[in-house]
Amino acid sequence: MKREILNFFEMKIPSKSINEGFARMAVSAFASQTDPTIEQLAEIKTVISEAITNAVVHGYQNEPGIIHVKVSLLKEKTLKIVVKDKGVGIPDIHKAMEPLYTTGNADRAGMGFTIMQTFTDKLKVVSRPGKGTTLTMEKAL
Amino acid sequence: MIEYQTKKEKTVIFLSGDIDHHSSELLRKEIDEIIRKTEPEETVLDFSGVTFCDSSGIALVLGRYKLMNAAGGKVTLCSLPKSAKNIFLMAGLDRFVRIKEEV
Ligand SMILES: Nc1ncnc2c1ncn2[C@@H]1O[C@H](COP(=O)(O)OP(=O)(O)O)[C@@H](O)[C@H]1O
Ligand SMILES: [Mg+2]
């Protein structure tokens, strides 16, 4: 069953690391209309930061690309965040989601997916090698 | 430039702003430069000025732990924002570094 969308915004941003902070501000400003707690807002900022960073670092391998973000406010006070890249994709999603698993360098902790899972109520990853990755998260507020 | 204080064998480094993938590489270089310069037995990372921290902060702390541990030293974190503390505990960082409320 399709749930009613009360409000949404969409944006396309180039895969530049400076946009990680911008995306956090944009999404937290949008989420503010539901009067979230400070802790919920910190969690929302963290998960969007993890998702955008993954698109920049892993999806596009620090090369230019476009990241598509859609954030919706669903009925029953649920925030839905979709982050899409057309990067390299994930060959083994199950493995990628294991805590501490990373294909990155020493500046990566392999905790992005674990954090996104812990700080949201639903996390769905759809990915095809060579095609890209779409991340869908839902968080009740 | 990051501010720091060093007395006896302890160096306190005051982190500020957002810690994310965008900022963490420069931050790492600056912290490591301070550690190299002061050669402390204990490095304290003071998070009281930190406005945001994601998993890049976990890697940053873990890397500084490895650096200090290789030289026989230790790392202490203090004044962690609640959300940073949450994700640090999620990663089990408290097995490697001491987490204090105040300096
Ligand atoms: N958007 C993406 N495109 C391609 N690979 C990805 C993407 N997101 C995550 N991954 C893969 O999943 C692994 C785990 O991601 P994560 O848990 O965020 O840890 P980290 O980013 O620290 O490596 C990454 O190292 C990478 O191999
Ligand atoms: Mg990540």
Side-chain angles (χ1 to χ4, degrees), chain A residues 17-18 20-21 24 39 42 45-46 49-50 53 56-57 62 106-109 111-112 114-115 118-119, chain B residues 18 20-25 28 51-56 58-60 64 82-83 86-87 90-91 95:
Chain A
S17 66
I18 187 83
E20 293 153 9
R24 288 197 296 274
E39 188 164 354
K45 280 190 194 172
T46 308
S49 197
E50 297 297 344
T53 300
V56 172
V57 176
N62 297 305
D107 286 336
R108 309 283 91 229
M111 288 298 291
T114 306
I115 290 170
T118 310
F119 283 175
Chain B
D18 289 5
D20 63 2
H21 160 252
H22 180 69
S23 67
S24 69
E25 189 182 330
R28 161 170 60 74
T51 44
F52 174 80
C53 179
D54 65 14
S55 71
S56 304
I58 296 173
L60 187 72
R64 292 337 96 213
K82 195 170 178 207
S83 55
N86 277 349
I87 63 167
M90 228 182 266
R95 283 178 295 162

Side-chain angles (χ1 to χ4, degrees), chain A residues 50 54 58 112:
Chain A
E50 297 297 344
N54 279 358
H58 305 299

Side-chain angles (χ1 to χ4, degrees), chain A residues 54-55 58-59 85 88-90 96 101-104 108-113 133:
Chain A
N54 279 358
H58 305 299
D85 70 62
V88 299
I90 306 174
Y101 175 82
T102 181
T103 55
R108 309 283 91 229
M111 288 298 291
F113 277 127
T133 302

